[in-house]
Amino acid sequence: MRVLVVEDEHRMALHVARALEEDSFAVDVAYDGEQGLAYALAHDYDAIVLDLMLPKLDGMAVCRRLRDAGKRVPVLMLSARDLVEDRVGGLNAGADDYLVKPFAMQELMARLRALMRRQADDPRSTLKVADLELDPLTRRARRGTRQIILTAKEFAVLEYLMRRPSIVHTRTMIAEHVWNFVFDHASNVVDVYIKHLRDKIDDKQDQVRPSFIRSVRGAGYVLSDPNEDQA
Ligand code: CA
């Protein structure tokens, strides 16, 4: 899941970005409204944390232009002021939620997760494909009764694939949702993570069933129920 943080106070921006990264999100940071709008239009973010008072273009204008451009990405607006006019203005501009500074980072994370769940096609919190289960809230994965211990990035790759099962995803699509702009598209890091996930998820004793994550030659990867006919 990839999140854009638009915030001109550098310390606050880094604080939020770090918390999100610790929770296995990929994060991009923009420091003014114009840059934020450009990033948000260029990529399909899973959520945007948008400060209200920004140089060049304020948060309401950014939000309005995003909605005008047809972007439905969940927006959590931040403000230093707790004024009814600001809240109403933000929500009218198309923000989905509003948080007043100072806030507890835990609250920001909880609200973001709630917004993304609401946005998802499947509102159930636990993702399930055959006996593979992943709980985005507790960050736990398991296969049947077997607990699977995943790193933050492995979790992020698996969550991305499980939210869109049985669909082929290119390496670029996976990378764009799990890593940020710093990601080197020429690297084979996606393949490396897929290999780690297969090692952890698949049953090594089972030589008959194919892997949960299959390679589609020349295209990318698809996660699906290995019991289903793959033909
Ligand atoms: Ca600000």
Side-chain angles (χ1 to χ4, degrees):
M1 307 297 266
R2 184 166 167 180
V3 176
L4 174 64
V5 176
V6 191
E7 165 67 85
D8 57 312
E9 291 158 54
H10 283 231
R11 201 191 261 177
M12 172 68 92
L14 291 178
H15 188 44
V16 172
R18 198 164 299 144
L20 287 164
E21 279 167 352
E22 278 168 10
D23 210 13
S24 84
F25 290 98
V27 184
D28 293 312
V29 178
Y31 296 103
D32 65 60
E34 279 179 7
Q35 190 188 25
L37 181 63
Y39 280 16
L41 291 173
H43 285 274
D44 282 329
Y45 287 99
D46 298 292
I48 298 178
V49 178
L50 179 63
D51 189 32
L52 178 62
M53 306 283 271
L54 290 166
K56 295 187 183 173
L57 204 59
D58 71 20
M60 280 191 208
V62 171
C63 200
R64 206 170 289 121
R65 291 210 204 168
L66 275 178
R67 298 311 186 213
D68 287 347
K71 290 273 184 186
R72 291 175 57 226
V73 51
V75 172
L76 173 60
M77 204 169 261
L78 302 180
S79 174
R81 301 183 302 186
D82 188 13
L83 298 178
V84 174
E85 303 93 277
D86 284 350
R87 284 175 183 262
V88 172
L91 296 172
N92 280 342
D96 299 279
D97 200 359
Y98 195 94
L99 193 57
V100 177
K101 297 176 187 173
F103 51 82
M105 199 54 71
Q106 274 172 308
E107 184 173 6
L108 180 133
M109 305 302 289
R111 285 180 185 235
L112 262 190
R113 286 243 163 236
L115 286 183
M116 285 189 271
R117 269 202 309 281
R118 228 186 285 162
Q119 181 82 352
D121 293 332
D122 184 353
R124 288 173 308 173
S125 56
T126 302
L127 304 170
K128 199 171 186 323
V129 175
D131 61 350
L132 178 63
E133 283 182 45
L134 185 137
D135 187 338
L137 288 178
T138 60
R139 324 295 296 161
R140 291 214 174 120
R142 60 195 180 106
R143 173 94 194 271
T145 53
R146 177 167 62 91
Q147 190 94 355
I148 301 168
I149 310 296
L150 300 171
T151 66
K153 280 291 181 224
E154 287 166 359
F155 190 95
V157 172
L158 186 60
E159 182 178 8
Y160 174 76
L161 292 174
M162 286 187 75
R163 283 195 185 278
R164 303 152 185 87
S166 306
I167 297 170
V168 178
H169 302 278
T170 66
R171 286 172 182 78
T172 305
M173 285 160 75
I174 297 169
E176 282 188 349
H177 276 269
V178 177
W179 282 271
N180 55 17
F181 278 131
V182 186
F183 180 76
D184 173 9
H185 286 272
S187 78
N188 68 342
V189 65
V190 172
D191 305 288
V192 171
Y193 275 90
I194 294 286
K195 186 188 179 305
H196 290 168
L197 281 173
R198 282 177 174 155
D199 287 346
K200 290 184 176 184
I201 294 168
D202 294 331
D203 185 355
K204 287 169 197 68
Q205 313 299 321
D206 190 345
Q207 304 288 324
V208 181
R209 287 196 299 180
S211 175
F212 264 92
I213 305 172
R214 286 182 302 125
S215 309
V216 180
R217 254 185 104 183
Y221 294 104
V222 57
L223 184 143
S224 59
D225 183 348
N227 301 303
E228 282 173 11
D229 186 15
Q230 306 287 347

